[in-house]
Amino acid sequence: DSTASAQFGHQDYDLRQRGLFTIVNETVFWDDKLHLTEKIFQPIVCGSPFMLTGAPGNLEYLRSYGFRTFSDYIDESYDTEDDPDRRMNLVVAQIEKLCDLSVSQLRSMFRDMQPILDHNRRHFFGDFKTKIVDELVGNFDQFIRVWNNGRVDGREWYLHPDIESVKRTLLR
């Protein structure tokens, strides 16, 4: 009933729970930009294995936050391919390999992936929030410092919050 991109209800959750793999089409694919949105976190919350079709390096970026991916089960080298057409062809080749597996092979693979799925879900609801709050507040603090030091007209950004207080508020 809504066009909100981040809306995620029980029907979406149930659908992802029934599927054996999620193909995540991230917002940024054609540009060389590390950019993760709610799209990749939905299968993580639901405990669904995923492939991430996005700009090169986004799987590595996701891993840098402490999440695990599925390189033991699919060839994730597509994440390092700079050419978007070749990257998409590599993704399609992995999807075709998954489609060639029998239902019992897919179920077995899903059972084997369970430690990764459990880790990702625990991490999302655990340490991940602290990491992204630290990043957000650190980026904001850096912006204020750069803004104030780079002003040639003498005007400074007078608001300089207590960064640790901001972190505590966001983590509540």
Side-chain angles (χ1 to χ4, degrees):
D1 295 336
S2 172
T3 58
S5 66
Q7 181 172 339
F8 189 71
H10 291 287
Q11 290 176 335
D12 302 301
Y13 184 82
D14 293 341
L15 180 63
R16 288 198 198 272
Q17 290 271 293
R18 288 193 314 264
L20 291 176
F21 230 89
T22 300
I23 310 302
V24 178
N25 296 307
E26 252 314 344
T27 301
V28 176
F29 179 82
W30 300 99
D31 299 323
D32 188 14
K33 178 182 179 185
L34 298 177
H35 183 78
L36 301 174
T37 68
E38 83 289 345
K39 293 174 193 69
I40 188 57
F41 298 112
Q42 290 173 353
I44 288 171
V45 166
C46 294
S48 174
F50 56 83
M51 285 182 59
L52 175 61
T53 60
N58 271 324
L59 268 181
E60 183 60 35
Y61 185 41
L62 183 67
R63 287 190 291 267
S64 77
Y65 280 114
F67 292 99
R68 296 181 186 155
T69 60
F70 305 95
S71 60
D72 289 345
Y73 305 95
I74 59 170
D75 180 358
E76 293 180 337
S77 64
Y78 65 85
D79 188 53
T80 62
E81 177 55 57
D82 290 328
D83 180 87
D85 293 324
R86 282 197 295 252
R87 188 166 62 254
M88 183 56 75
N89 286 332
L90 291 170
V91 168
V92 168
Q94 291 308 299
I95 294 169
E96 288 173 343
K97 281 185 178 182
L98 287 172
C99 290
D100 286 342
L101 297 176
S102 70
V103 172
S104 64
Q105 288 173 308
L106 286 168
R107 286 187 177 140
S108 176
M109 183 174 66
F110 183 80
R111 280 191 301 275
D112 291 346
M113 290 177 174
Q114 204 57 53
I116 296 170
L117 301 172
D118 292 343
H119 165 83
N120 285 347
R121 194 164 195 280
R122 275 192 316 273
H123 183 62
F124 180 85
F125 288 108
D127 297 339
F128 179 57
K129 183 176 181 181
T130 301
K131 287 183 179 214
I132 61 172
V133 165
D134 285 347
E135 182 179 345
L136 172 69
V137 172
N139 287 344
F140 182 68
D141 185 49
Q142 181 181 5
F143 165 78
I144 291 172
R145 292 176 192 279
V146 168
W147 175 270
N148 286 340
N149 290 335
R151 298 297 300 183
V152 293
D153 58 8
R155 293 187 344 220
E156 285 190 352
W157 185 304
Y158 291 102
L159 171 70
H160 197 87
D162 172 9
I163 294 301
E164 290 307 313
S165 174
V166 171
K167 282 184 189 180
R168 283 191 303 276
T169 301
L170 290 171
L171 287 171
R172 275 193 243 147

